Amino acid sequence: FTAPRQFFVAMTRGASRRQVLGLWTPAVWLALVMRAACASDVEFMGDANYNLSKIQRVTLRPLKLAGSVVRVGASVQLDCCSKYAAGAKATIRGYELGIEFVNEVRGGMLINGTRVGIELTMLGDYSLTSRTESNIRDLISHGFHLFLGPYGSTQTNVVAGVVNETAGTLLLAAASSNDNVYENRPRVFSILPSGSTYLLGAVEALHRGTLEHQRHAILIMEDHSASKYQIDGAKARMLELGFAVHGEILVLPFRAEKSVIWSAASNLTDFTQTIELQGAKPILMAATYDYATCLEFVRASKELGLRALLSAMVFTQCVDKSGFSADLGSLAAYVSGVAPWDTTLEVVDDFSGQTAVDFTKTFQAKYTGLAPDYLAASAFSAVTTLAWAMEQTQSFDAEALRSKFMTLTSPEKVLKTVFGALHYDFKGQAQVSSGMLQLQGRGPLPTLIQDSSPLIFPMPHCNSSSLRVKYSTHTCEPCELGTEYWPSLDQCVSCIAGRHSSRRGEKCQACPSGTYSHEGQTSCSPCPNGSMAADPGSKQCTACSPGFVAWAEGQSKCEACSRGSYTKDFTRTSCSSCEEILKGSSTPAPGATSNSSCVCPEDTYERPGLGCSPCIEGLVCPGRDAMPTKDYGLYGEVVDAATSEIWLFRCIPPERCPASDDLSACAPGLEGRACMRCSSISAEGDSYGCGSCPGPLMGLILAVILGALYAQYRVSANQKYGRVTLVYMLLGYVSITITIMQNLNVVLLMSSIGLPTSLDWISSISEVFLFDFDFLLPSCNFGSSFENRMLMSMVPWSVVVFGFFGFYAVSVVLSKVTPAAWNIKPMCMNTVINCIGIVLSILFMLYAKDTMAFHLRLQNPAGPDTLSQYPDVIAHSPEHLSMLWAHVVQLSVCIVGYYVYHVYVLIVAPSQASINPNFMKRNGFILKRWRPRYYFWGLISLTRNVVMVIIPLIIKIPIGCVAAVAILWITYSMTQACFLPWRTKTNNVADCFASGSLVVITVLSLLLIPERDAQDTSAEKQVLASLLAACAALVLATIVLGVVKSVWTRLPLRERRIVAARCYDLMEIVVLASSVSFEIRSQGAEHPRLLAFAQGLSDDDADLIET
C-alpha cells in the first residue's frame, strides 16, 4: 500500500473529527503492513483522464495462509471524492473485514482437503460507468470470473451486464437493491433486498403501532432511481393497509442545495396545515438517498414548524448511519428510519459463526470510533456467502456456485449471515425483511422496533423551546429555575452569567440594564451605588469612572458630575460642590475628577478670600486661575493685592491703552492711570505729547501767534467811522465757523459716537477749532501732571491778554524813546481792548469747555469716577481739589468776567453808542456784528454757548445730553431765522444754514449713540454716519463760499456795478431825511446822530454814504 495518505483521505471522507483521529493509527498500520506483504501486487495504472495521485488498484492477499488462492475481482470507488465515493467507504470496509476473516481468522476455505484463500483485487472506477465496465472486462481478460459488486445500483448494473454476457462468470452484489440489476441475469445475486421492499418493515411497524384514525401519510423522495423504488413500494403497501396518502409525492432534486431543501420544507409545512385530520397528525415517509439531504431536511422541519405538525418522520439512508445522532443532536430524537440490518441482530452466520453483535465489535476494533452500517454488514456477508458457497460446492466454478445459491429459494431454506437470513427469489434477489428504527433517547444508535421495543407514536414534540423531552417517560417537562433547555445539548443548562430564569420552563432572560447575575441565578441583582451595568445581560457591574457617580442602586449608566461639582477620592455615589472649595467656582466641563478642577468659570476671576467675582465690563476673564486681561481703551489697577481688587478706567483717547494681558499696559512712551502721563523713556517725536519741543519751533510758533495778534490790531485800527469793512464781515464768518465746529465737538463728546475710521476727519477738524495745544503740537511735552495740564489750559487766553497789553506797552515806550521823525505812535487802548474781546469771543467755547471739565465726570467700568478731560484724576481727590484755585481763576476771568462785561456793555450801549465814539471802538466785538435793533444778540449767542457746556453737568445720560442740545439748537436756529440779527445778509444765511446743519448732526448722533447690550447694525450705522459727514461738509462749504463771496464783492468791477445800482436809492433816502440832511450841512460827518445812522446801515450802504 504505497499511498497511505490518499487511502486515509478516501476512507475517512464524511467522518467526524473523532472518527478521523481514531482511524489514523490503524490506517497507517494497515498501509505499512500491506506495503510490506504485497508490494508487488500494488500498482498505479496511468490514465490521462485521472489524477495519478489517486488509488487505481488495491489487491488484498492472504498474509499468513500459504497455499493456493481463488482470485475475486471488484470495481469500486477507491477515490476520495467522486459521486459515490462516500457511500462506497462502508462497502470497502466490509470487503476488507470479510477477506481478513476468511483468510486470517478462519484460515481460508477447506476445498478438497486444502486451505484456499481469497485474493480480492479492487480496481477504482471513480463512480464512472465507463470506467466500471472497462475494469470488469480487464479483470475478465486476466482470468477473473468471480466478482463482488461496487457501491450503488448504477455501477452494479454495469457490472451485472458484463457478467451476464460473459459465460463462466458470477457476481455477488453487496450494495444494490434495484430490481433491474437482477432481471433476467441468472448469474447475478444480491445481499440487499429489493428497493421496493425497503420501507415495508417501517410501514408494517406503523400499521401495528397506530390506530386507524392516525393512519395518514405524506410522501417525499429524492430524485434518484433507488429512492423511487423505495417510495413507490411504500405507497403501494400503505394503500393496501388502509393508510390515507395525502397529495402527490414531493420530489427533491438529487443532492439539492440547502435553500432548495428549506423551500421544499416550507411548502410542505403550508400543505400540511391545510389537511384536516380531526386531531390527528400525518406521518412523513421520506425516501432520501443522500445523507446530507436527510440531515438538512430534519433541521428545516424543526425550524419551520413542520415537525410539530407530524406524528412521525421516517427516512431512508439516514437514521441508520452511525453519525446521525451526533450530527443532529436533540433534533435526531424520535426520528425514525429503516434498515435491512441492525447491530443487535442475533442471527448466527453459517460460515463465520458470528452474529451482528460480534461483527459490530470486530468492526469497531478495527475502525476505532466508527460503527458499522448495513452496507458494511452487507459487504462482509457477500464475502462470507461466496466463501460458504465455494466450500459447500468444493468448487470455484461459477455455474456450480449459481446452482448452490438457487437452492436458497424459500424461507425454510435460508443461509444465515451477519446481515440476516438470506433466501432468493427467482431473479436472484435476496429476500430479507427490513426493520424500523427509532431514536428513542440520547444514545448514538437507534432502537429496532419490535415487541420488546415498541414504537413511540406519536413522536413527542415540545412546542416550547423552554421544554425538554424526558426520555424516560417520552414527555415534555420544563427546566428547573435558573436553567434553560439547549437543543444542541438536549439538556437543561444553567443560565450563563448575565441571564436568569425566574420560572420553570422559562428561557433564560438577559438581565436588564442596571442589574447583573452570576451563573445559574433565578433573578438579577441591582448594581450597588457607585456602579452601573450599561448593557443588558451584564455579568458584573462596573465601577463608575472618576468624575461620574451612580446615585442609587440599579443604574444603567453613571451620571457625570455637573458643572460645579466633582468626585472625591474613590467616592462614586455623590458629587461634592466646588462652592466648598472656592465660592463661585465651577469646573470646565461635567465629570470633574478632583477638587483641583474647581476653578473660576469664564467671565469671572479669583479674588483671594472672596471667591470668584464677576468679570468687570471691559475685562476679558478667561477663568481658571488666570488674571483678567483688558480690552482696548481701558486701563486697570490692582488696588489691593491681597484681595485682587481691580479698578478699571477708561482711556481718552482709547488708543493710549492697547488691549493686553497686562492691566496697566500703555502705548509706548506712556504710563500712569489711563496712560495719561509721559514715561521716562518717551521717544522723541512721540504722538502723545511726550516729546521735547525744540526751541526754534517754540520761538516760531510764538512769533506766528504774536504776528497774528498784531495783524488783527492793525486791521481793526484802520477801520473808518461809518464803514463796516471786510474785517467784520469775515469776523462774522469766522465766528460762525468756530462756534459751530466747537459745538460739533461738544456734541460728539457728549454722545460718545463711535464714528467709522473713515470719518475720523470730522472729529479731527472739530478739534482744530478748539485750539488744543496737544493737538496743534502733538510732540511737545509741556508736562503730563494734572497741574501742568490745568495751567496749560489757561495759556491761550493769557497769551491773548498779555500779548495785546505787551504790544500796547511797547508801543507807548517806543513812541517816547524814538525820534519824532520815525512817527511811531502808541497803540489805541480802545482798539486793543476790542481786539482782545474779538479773540476771547472766538475762544470762549474752549474756555467754557475747559472750565466745566473741572466738574465733568467720566464713569468708569470699575472704580471711582474720573474727570472726563483728565481721566487719570479721580474726582474730588486731593489731586483734583489741589487745582481748585486755577479753576476759580479761569471761571472768574473767562466765563463770569467775560459774561458780566457783556451784560454791562449791553446795558449802557443805548446811551453811549451815539455819543461816545470810544465806547463803540472799544466794544465793537460786542455791538458791531449785529444790526442796531438786535445789538444784544451777542449775549444770546454767548448764553447758548454757556448752556451747551452746562448741559453735561446737569444731564448725565449721553442720549439725554444730546437731546437737550438738539432742543437748544433747534430753538436757537428757529429764532435766528426769524430775526436775522447779523449786519449782512450773507452772515445771516451762513448762520441759519450752519445752525440747521448742526441740528441735523445732533439728531443723527442720537441714532448713533451706542446702547448697552444692543447689537451693532454696522450697515445702518454707516448710513447715519455718512449723513452726519455730509452735514459737516456742508457747514464747511458754506463758510468757504461765504468768504469767497465777501472777497468777490470787493473786486473793483463788481463794486462799481453795485455802486451804480445802489447810489440813486441812497440819495433819495438822504434827501428825504431832511433833519439828517440839515445836520449834515451844519455839522459835517462827525455828528453823533449821523454816526449812529451810518453804523446802522449795512456794509455796502455805509460805504456808499461815506463815498
Side-chain angles (χ1 to χ4, degrees):
F1 200 107
T2 59
R5 180 179 180 276
Q6 289 85 345
F7 183 76
F8 171 76
V9 173
M11 296 296 288
T12 57
R13 180 171 173 80
S16 66
R17 189 173 297 177
R18 177 174 55 84
Q19 292 169 336
V20 170
L21 293 176
L23 184 60
W24 176 254
T25 301
V28 174
W29 173 83
L30 174 63
L32 294 176
V33 171
M34 293 180 67
R35 178 179 176 83
C38 49
S40 61
D41 294 320
V42 176
E43 100 181 77
F44 290 85
M45 300 174 64
D47 192 314
N49 297 325
Y50 303 99
N51 190 336
L52 292 180
S53 65
K54 298 179 181 179
I55 299 175
Q56 304 295 314
R57 183 178 73 180
V58 174
T59 299
L60 302 178
R61 306 182 83 189
L63 299 178
K64 300 178 181 179
L65 184 63
S68 61
V69 295
V70 58
R71 295 191 301 170
V72 178
S75 178
V76 294
Q77 297 84 359
L78 295 177
D79 63 287
C80 67
C81 309
S82 64
K83 183 176 180 180
Y84 301 118
K89 294 175 184 177
T91 300
I92 294 172
R93 293 184 186 119
Y95 286 159
E96 185 181 7
L97 280 179
I99 296 298
E100 182 179 328
F101 177 81
V102 172
N103 293 335
E104 312 306 331
V105 177
R106 198 172 184 274
M109 302 171 291
L110 186 60
I111 305 297
N112 298 323
T114 303
R115 291 290 177 178
V116 180
I118 298 177
E119 180 184 276
L120 176 62
T121 299
M122 296 182 289
L123 301 181
D125 60 20
Y126 303 100
S127 303
L128 299 173
T129 56
S130 60
R131 188 60 179 264
T132 300
E133 182 178 355
S134 66
N135 285 345
I136 297 302
R137 293 189 185 279
D138 184 52
L139 289 171
I140 291 175
S141 67
H142 285 79
F144 286 83
H145 64 282
L146 300 177
F147 298 97
L148 295 176
Y151 169 76
S153 296
T154 301
Q155 304 300 103
T156 303
N157 189 49
V158 173
V159 177
V162 175
V163 168
N164 186 62
E165 66 183 30
T166 305
T169 58
L170 181 138
L171 171 64
L172 192 58
S176 174
S177 62
N178 194 322
D179 294 352
N180 294 333
V181 174
Y182 309 99
E183 190 73 33
N184 297 320
R185 291 170 177 170
R187 292 190 303 279
V188 180
F189 294 89
S190 74
I191 300 298
L192 295 180
S194 172
S196 60
T197 65
Y198 199 76
L199 285 168
L200 297 187
V203 174
E204 297 291 343
L206 288 170
H207 184 265
R208 293 191 304 269
T210 60
L211 301 177
E212 182 177 355
H213 73 279
Q214 297 174 323
R215 294 166 186 165
H216 298 270
I218 51 178
L219 309 177
I220 65 172
M221 60 167 281
E222 195 171 0
D223 190 10
H224 190 274
S225 58
S227 299
K228 180 171 176 53
Y229 280 118
Q230 294 166 3
I231 204 68
D232 288 344
K235 181 177 181 181
R237 182 57 179 162
M238 293 183 93
L239 293 175
E240 290 176 4
L241 295 176
F243 282 80
V245 178
H246 299 274
E248 300 295 329
I249 299 174
L250 177 64
V251 180
L252 288 173
F254 179 64
R255 292 182 177 174
E257 297 289 336
K258 177 180 177 179
S259 60
V260 176
I261 297 173
W262 279 69
S263 177
S266 177
N267 294 335
L268 194 61
T269 302
D270 297 339
F271 173 74
T272 305
Q273 291 174 336
T274 64
I275 304 175
E276 296 182 2
L277 303 179
Q278 298 180 350
K281 297 179 179 180
I283 300 167
L284 175 66
M285 190 72 69
T288 51
Y289 189 84
D290 182 63
Y291 178 67
T293 300
C294 173
L295 295 179
E296 198 59 42
F297 195 89
V298 174
R299 295 188 185 102
S301 64
K302 171 66 175 179
E303 293 297 325
L304 297 175
L306 175 60
R307 179 168 180 159
L309 303 174
L310 303 173
S311 59
M313 299 175 69
V314 184
F315 292 88
T316 62
Q317 299 290 340
C318 192
V319 178
D320 61 314
K321 302 296 183 182
S322 59
F324 180 74
S325 180
D327 289 337
L328 287 180
S330 62
L331 295 181
Y334 300 104
V335 175
S336 300
V338 293
W341 177 78
D342 183 69
T343 57
T344 62
L345 196 64
E346 296 180 355
V347 178
V348 179
D349 190 297
D350 288 337
F351 180 78
S352 66
Q354 291 187 351
T355 63
V357 176
D358 299 328
F359 170 74
T360 300
K361 292 179 181 179
T362 303
F363 187 93
Q364 291 178 331
K366 185 174 183 63
Y367 306 108
T368 306
L370 296 178
D373 60 5
Y374 78 96
L375 290 173
S378 173
F380 180 86
S381 297
V383 175
T384 59
T385 297
L386 182 61
W388 172 82
M390 287 188 289
E391 195 171 66
Q392 288 292 318
T393 61
Q394 293 292 296
S395 172
F396 307 127
D397 181 65
E399 189 61 33
L401 295 177
R402 187 192 74 79
S403 298
K404 185 61 178 178
F405 288 143
M406 291 306 296
T407 63
L408 305 174
T409 57
S410 67
E412 292 78 19
K413 296 180 179 181
V414 297
L415 173 64
K416 296 178 181 179
T417 67
V418 169
F419 190 75
L422 294 179
H423 67 279
Y424 295 100
D425 61 8
F426 67 95
K427 295 183 293 183
Q429 195 161 9
Q431 302 294 306
V432 181
S433 299
S434 62
M436 183 177 183
L437 304 175
Q438 188 178 41
L439 280 163
Q440 297 183 350
R442 295 180 180 173
L445 299 178
T447 300
L448 181 65
I449 303 304
Q450 50 191 353
D451 293 340
S452 60
S453 302
L455 176 70
I456 307 301
F457 186 91
M459 62 179 179
H461 176 73
C462 300
N463 292 324
S464 174
S465 60
S466 63
L467 299 178
R468 65 170 180 173
V469 176
K470 187 176 183 180
Y471 293 106
S472 59
T473 61
H474 307 297
T475 58
C476 296
E477 67 175 5
C479 292
E480 297 297 328
L481 298 179
T483 64
E484 66 176 345
Y485 178 64
W486 281 23
S488 59
L489 300 178
D490 193 27
Q491 62 183 355
C492 294
V493 179
S494 297
C495 295
I496 62 174
R499 304 177 72 88
H500 74 289
S501 174
S502 57
R503 291 188 299 177
R504 291 191 62 192
E506 184 183 62
K507 292 286 291 182
C508 293
Q509 304 294 323
C511 289
S513 299
T515 63
Y516 72 99
S517 69
H518 299 303
E519 181 180 352
Q521 284 196 299
T522 60
S523 62
C524 300
S525 304
C527 291
N529 296 356
S531 63
M532 62 89 181
D535 301 321
S538 296
K539 300 178 181 180
Q540 60 185 2
C541 297
T542 304
C544 293
S545 303
F548 292 77
V549 295
W551 310 93
E553 294 182 344
Q555 298 298 307
S556 60
K557 64 178 182 179
C558 296
E559 300 290 341
C561 287
S562 60
R563 289 180 181 271
S565 61
Y566 64 95
T567 53
K568 284 184 178 179
D569 301 328
F570 298 101
T571 303
R572 301 292 184 267
T573 58
S574 62
C575 300
S576 301
S577 174
C578 286
E579 288 287 339
E580 302 173 0
I581 306 299
L582 180 64
K583 183 180 179 181
S585 63
S586 184
T587 54
T593 59
S594 68
N595 58 5
S596 62
S597 301
C598 293
V599 294
C600 289
E602 189 175 359
D603 294 331
T604 65
Y605 69 101
E606 184 178 350
R607 296 186 61 186
L610 299 176
C612 299
S613 297
C615 196
I616 302 170
E617 179 185 0
L619 292 183
V620 177
C621 299
R624 300 182 178 270
D625 55 353
M627 282 296 290
T629 61
K630 65 170 183 170
D631 279 341
Y632 172 77
L634 297 171
Y635 179 89
E637 289 184 9
V638 180
V639 295
D640 187 349
T643 61
S644 296
E645 182 181 0
I646 297 175
W647 283 0
L648 193 64
F649 300 96
R650 300 187 190 278
C651 299
I652 299 176
E655 57 266 19
R656 287 177 172 265
C657 303
S660 174
D661 294 341
D662 183 3
L663 294 178
S664 58
C666 296
L670 299 178
E671 65 181 7
R673 183 179 297 143
C675 299
M676 291 299 294
R677 309 293 171 95
C678 295
S679 67
S680 57
I681 58 174
S682 298
E684 292 293 330
D686 187 276
S687 60
Y688 298 104
C690 291
S692 60
C693 269
L697 176 62
M698 291 301 297
L700 177 62
I701 293 173
L702 183 59
V704 170
I705 294 174
L706 294 177
L709 296 180
Y710 183 74
Q712 182 196 358
Y713 170 81
R714 297 309 305 169
V715 171
S716 299
N718 290 335
Q719 181 177 272
K720 298 180 180 180
Y721 292 116
R723 183 181 181 189
V724 180
T725 62
L726 177 62
V727 175
Y728 275 100
M729 187 167 66
L730 290 177
L731 178 60
Y733 287 122
V734 172
S735 176
I736 293 171
T737 301
I738 294 177
T739 301
I740 292 299
M741 297 310 295
Q742 289 176 345
N743 279 276
L744 174 60
N745 183 267
V746 173
V747 170
L748 295 177
L749 291 177
M750 284 183 185
S751 56
S752 302
I753 295 175
L755 289 174
T757 306
S758 60
L759 299 180
D760 284 343
W761 59 271
I762 299 176
S763 178
S764 300
I765 291 177
S766 67
E767 289 178 358
V768 171
F769 292 92
L770 292 176
F771 303 99
D772 186 357
F773 279 84
D774 290 338
F775 182 80
L776 297 175
L777 303 171
S779 63
C780 294
N781 182 6
F782 299 106
S784 57
S785 66
F786 176 53
E787 179 181 1
N788 290 339
R789 283 176 286 158
M790 275 287 293
L791 294 177
M792 280 299 299
S793 67
M794 301 171 64
V795 167
W797 64 266
S798 301
V799 170
V800 172
V801 173
F802 291 109
F804 275 114
F805 282 118
F807 280 134
Y808 174 77
V810 170
S811 68
V812 171
V813 172
L814 290 176
S815 67
K816 293 182 178 181
V817 298
T818 58
W822 289 10
N823 196 25
I824 297 177
K825 298 179 181 181
M827 297 175 66
C828 178
M829 177 57 71
N830 291 325
T831 303
V832 170
I833 294 174
N834 184 56
C835 288
I836 293 174
I838 291 173
V839 176
L840 291 181
S841 66
I842 292 174
L843 300 179
F844 179 80
M845 195 68 184
L846 171 64
Y847 303 145
K849 176 174 170 289
D850 288 342
T851 304
M852 294 300 107
F854 190 82
H855 301 283
L856 193 60
R857 296 187 183 185
L858 176 65
Q859 291 184 344
N860 295 299
D865 292 348
T866 54
L867 303 182
S868 60
Q869 193 165 326
Y870 308 97
D872 58 329
V873 178
I874 297 175
H876 300 153
S877 65
E879 183 182 18
H880 178 208
L881 298 178
S882 66
M883 293 303 295
L884 182 60
W885 66 269
H887 167 67
V888 172
V889 170
Q890 186 158 335
L891 177 63
S892 302
V893 174
C894 297
I895 305 299
V896 178
Y898 189 74
Y899 194 86
V900 170
Y901 183 75
H902 255 69
V903 174
Y904 163 76
V905 169
L906 294 177
I907 292 174
V908 302
S911 61
Q912 294 293 322
S914 60
I915 63 173
N916 188 354
N918 291 330
F919 178 83
M920 290 298 295
K921 183 179 292 189
R922 185 171 56 251
N923 300 304
F925 70 95
I926 297 176
L927 301 172
K928 287 186 177 183
R929 289 180 295 170
W930 318 107
R931 293 166 58 189
R933 182 182 299 179
Y934 305 110
Y935 68 96
F936 54 84
W937 200 263
L939 183 62
I940 295 176
S941 177
L942 192 66
T943 304
R944 176 202 64 194
N945 293 339
V946 172
V947 173
M948 273 287 295
V949 296
I950 292 178
I951 285 177
L953 297 178
I954 301 174
I955 303 175
K956 304 298 183 181
I957 303 175
I959 193 171
C961 289
V962 177
V965 170
I967 295 172
L968 173 65
W969 274 97
I970 290 173
T971 303
Y972 174 80
S973 61
M974 292 179 65
T975 306
Q976 195 272 342
C978 291
F979 296 107
L980 301 175
W982 289 89
R983 291 281 298 272
T984 66
K985 180 179 179 180
T986 54
N987 285 152
N988 283 309
V989 172
D991 197 9
C992 287
F993 185 81
S995 300
S997 298
L998 188 60
V999 169
V1000 175
I1001 292 174
T1002 306
V1003 173
L1004 290 177
S1005 68
L1006 287 171
L1007 303 176
L1008 290 173
I1009 294 176
E1011 297 180 5
R1012 190 182 303 274
D1013 301 328
Q1015 294 185 351
D1016 178 23
T1017 55
S1018 57
E1020 295 179 1
K1021 185 174 180 179
Q1022 272 297 356
V1023 172
L1024 296 175
S1026 300
L1027 292 175
L1028 188 149
C1031 292
L1034 286 175
V1035 171
L1036 295 177
T1038 302
I1039 303 304
V1040 173
L1041 290 176
V1043 173
V1044 172
K1045 179 180 181 299
S1046 65
V1047 175
W1048 175 258
T1049 56
R1050 292 304 176 207
L1051 293 177
L1053 180 60
R1054 181 71 174 169
E1055 186 173 1
R1056 287 196 298 271
R1057 292 176 180 176
I1058 294 175
V1059 169
R1062 183 63 173 161
C1063 185
Y1064 297 103
D1065 296 333
L1066 292 177
M1067 289 303 295
E1068 291 180 1
I1069 295 173
V1070 173
V1071 171
L1072 291 175
S1074 57
S1075 60
V1076 175
S1077 176
F1078 173 77
E1079 294 180 4
I1080 289 176
R1081 291 192 300 269
S1082 63
Q1083 298 188 19
E1086 295 299 325
H1087 194 278
R1089 292 188 62 189
L1090 178 60
L1091 180 61
F1093 170 77
Q1095 290 176 343
L1097 297 175
S1098 67
D1099 288 350
D1100 294 336
D1101 292 344
D1103 193 24
L1104 290 174
I1105 290 295
E1106 181 180 2
T1107 303

